[in-house]
Amino acid sequence: MATTAVLTLSTACSSSSDKDLAGGPGKPSADPNVRTSAPTSPPAAVRPVISEEDARRLSAEHDAENNAANAKFDSERLGRVEGGSLYEESTGSYRVALATKRKPIEPFTHTISQWLIPPDTGYPKQFAAIGTTKGSGPLSGISYFAQERADAPWKLIFSATLRQGEQEASAEPGGTMVTYPRVERVRTDAGGLAVTLADDQARRAACGEYAGYVSVGPATKAATDPRFAEGSFTDKVVSNFNATITAQPALRMTVEQQNIANTLPVFELASGAALVPCAAHVNVDFYSTGDITLGTKDAVSLLGGKAGPYSAVQQKHISLSLLAVPSAPKAPITVLDSSAQQPQILSVTATPSR
């Protein structure tokens, strides 16, 4: 009996749609309770991690280098301006693009609407930007940049899609229609710097909870979870995985999402909720009592064009997600964006049927 294993994948080379930051140097305030007969030096101004002018220049330079790398699927060149999980995702998409002989994506330029520049607390230095690219419509993109040390370059290490306006916004990444929840604005201090949460470990733990929630198999599981608000990136993801398991009883499928720890800034939203970026490695395994025929072009291309028959297939992917984690302990987490259902494939191994 032949079974078909299908997992929809996203293959676009990474680029954020929009960047939003709020920046500017902080302004010190004098303490009226301090009295002294001798002149005193004014308190040191709060310094931003980067000036808005330098951030704007950096964003433009990144666009130019990213476009040049995308034109030739040049992973080495891309590595000059990208790092972390985003670079892993991008180079995965390059491998698939080369294997399937896809055309390069069109060059893009970001128009930044807000800079999220926090105070400078030392290395690693990090900030984010929200903006749009041509044709992005009501959707924006958020991009996170980091510099590990003084002699290291700034690199883009995470990006996600955002919906900031009241207009409902949907898109079809990887062939699956999704609707994006609205995100609040990031809080800024009196000096215009983005507010980050210093005690952020409890909020970051939501990344691991989400990875566990969207892990499914070999049996089906409850699609809804009180910890998460229902939507395109939560119960619908689990429901779709459940449907694949139910539709092909001879196919044993497991989807295991493993959280990748990160130290990206956790920005505070207007309501007190936290904006938490997450990444996960996604292991998708297929086993069958019969023969497996792969139904996804990306996976087949990485196997030299041979769709099957196989008795077992193991795929490794990467997924990026963005969560709004409320301050109230039992309030549901909203997943603002995620590629959990269409993760970028990184590699695949298969065991031929005997």
Side-chain angles (χ1 to χ4, degrees):
M1 175 181 177
T3 56
T4 302
V6 178
L7 183 70
T8 304
L9 307 176
S10 60
T11 56
C13 301
S14 61
S15 68
S16 66
S17 309
D18 287 11
K19 304 173 185 176
D20 225 311
L21 306 183
K27 296 180 181 179
S29 58
D31 185 347
N33 297 317
V34 175
R35 296 183 180 182
T36 176
S37 57
T40 59
S41 300
V46 177
R47 295 181 55 186
V49 73
I50 190 173
S51 69
E52 185 173 318
E53 180 183 358
D54 286 343
R56 194 174 300 280
R57 173 187 54 78
L58 181 69
S59 176
E61 290 175 353
H62 174 272
D63 283 352
E65 280 294 305
N66 199 347
N67 286 331
N70 286 344
K72 296 184 178 180
F73 302 119
D74 187 341
S75 296
E76 182 177 354
R77 183 163 190 172
L78 186 66
R80 300 174 190 172
V81 292
E82 274 193 17
S85 296
L86 181 61
Y87 179 69
E88 190 175 8
E89 181 187 65
S90 295
T91 53
S93 73
Y94 279 10
R95 285 192 294 273
V96 171
L98 289 169
T100 56
K101 296 180 170 53
R102 288 188 182 135
K103 293 181 179 179
I105 63 173
E106 292 294 321
F108 59 85
T109 301
H110 285 96
T111 300
I112 307 304
S113 58
Q114 185 188 6
W115 298 103
L116 302 177
I117 300 178
D120 190 351
T121 58
Y123 291 95
K125 295 179 185 292
Q126 300 169 324
F127 73 95
I130 298 175
T132 57
T133 57
K134 182 179 179 181
S136 59
L139 293 172
S140 300
I142 184 167
S143 304
Y144 290 71
F145 294 84
Q147 183 187 38
E148 292 298 320
R149 57 186 186 279
D151 61 346
W154 283 93
K155 292 188 176 184
L156 178 62
I157 55 176
F158 181 90
S159 68
T161 299
L162 290 179
R163 173 193 153 208
Q164 292 184 296
E166 295 294 338
Q167 180 182 348
E168 185 172 298
S170 298
E172 202 169 354
T176 301
M177 183 62 70
V178 298
T179 300
Y180 293 88
R182 183 176 178 273
V183 65
E184 309 166 65
R185 194 169 180 83
V186 172
R187 281 190 57 208
T188 55
D189 63 18
L193 298 183
V195 176
T196 58
L197 296 171
D199 185 16
D200 57 13
Q201 292 308 308
R203 311 290 185 95
R204 289 185 189 277
C207 291
E209 292 181 37
Y210 179 61
Y213 169 43
V214 290
S215 294
V216 181
T220 58
K221 65 188 295 185
T224 58
D225 187 314
R227 296 173 298 171
F228 295 90
E230 295 182 16
S232 294
F233 307 113
T234 50
D235 61 295
K236 286 185 172 57
V237 173
V238 177
S239 293
N240 287 336
F241 286 149
N242 284 342
T244 300
I245 293 171
T246 303
Q248 302 189 72
L251 181 68
R252 183 179 183 272
M253 183 185 82
T254 59
V255 180
E256 180 187 23
Q257 312 238 5
Q258 300 175 328
N259 180 54
I260 303 171
N262 71 74
T263 58
L264 290 169
V266 173
F267 294 110
E268 185 176 4
L269 299 174
S271 67
L275 189 65
V276 183
C278 307
H281 282 134
V282 186
N283 297 314
V284 182
D285 296 340
F286 298 104
Y287 298 93
S288 178
T289 55
D291 292 332
I292 298 173
T293 300
L294 288 172
T296 52
K297 185 178 180 180
D298 293 353
V300 172
S301 71
L302 296 180
L303 289 169
K306 185 175 174 130
Y310 301 111
S311 61
V313 179
Q314 294 84 40
Q315 300 178 10
K316 183 176 181 180
H317 308 252
I318 191 166
S319 171
L320 304 183
S321 305
L322 189 66
L323 315 182
V325 184
S327 54
K330 293 187 178 181
I333 297 164
T334 298
V335 183
L336 302 169
D337 183 27
S338 177
S339 57
Q341 188 175 322
Q342 304 92 28
Q344 174 59 55
I345 192 167
L346 302 176
S347 63
V348 57
T349 58
T351 304
S353 297
R354 293 181 180 179

